[in-house]
């Protein structure tokens, strides 16, 4: 009887220690998660972070401008927008520069002049 109680107590302590350590280790890697123990059992709940999510969905003119400025293009402005691409113009190394981005997730560069 005592051995069964001791084993159960050790199991509960081990699960408690693992549950306490898991959220700390998960949040250290920028993966936010919480372990929830309730009447439905043990459940891992993942939280969405509040980081940069500008590359989700299609490319917008605002996202294209931000990416062009990140590439080092000064005085960046929208030159043209159509269904398939966004053209951003500006200056880099004292010369005129054009960058064309595709209107898909992540705003990939199609052309660079």
């Amino acid at each position: 009887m005592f051995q069964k109680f001791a084993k159960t107590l050790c199991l509960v302590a081990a699960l408690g220690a693992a549950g306490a350590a898991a959220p700390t280790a998960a949040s250290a890697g920028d993966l936010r998660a919480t372990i929830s123990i309730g009447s439905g059992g043990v459940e891992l709940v993942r939280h969405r972070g509040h980081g940069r999510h500008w590359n989700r969905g299609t490319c917008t003119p605002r996202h294209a401008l931000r990416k062009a400025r990140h590439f080092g293009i000064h005085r960046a402005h929208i030159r043209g927008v159509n269904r398939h691409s966004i053209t951003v113009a500006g200056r880099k190394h004292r010369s005129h520069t054009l960058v064309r981005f595709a209107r898909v997730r992540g705003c990939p560069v199609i052309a660079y002049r």
Side-chain angles (χ1 to χ4, degrees), residues 16-75:
T24 307
S27 63
D30 200 25
L31 174 72
R32 297 184 178 118
T34 305
I35 294 177
S36 173
I37 301 173
S39 62
V42 179
E43 179 182 1
L44 179 65
V45 180
R46 292 189 179 154
H47 302 284
R48 297 178 83 171
H50 297 288
R52 288 189 224 167
H53 296 297
W54 63 270
N55 63 351
R56 293 183 186 256
T58 60
C59 183
T60 64
R62 180 179 172 192
H63 298 153
L65 275 176
R66 187 181 302 158
K67 195 166 182 178
R69 289 179 182 141
H70 181 74
F71 287 160
I73 297 174
H74 299 282
R75 295 195 285 177

Side-chain angles (χ1 to χ4, degrees), residues 80-99:
V81 177
N82 64 27
R83 270 182 43 192
H84 302 290
S85 66
I86 299 171
T87 305
V88 177
R91 301 191 62 80
K92 186 170 184 177
H93 301 297
R94 297 183 183 190
S95 63
H96 187 71
T97 304
L98 286 174
V99 182

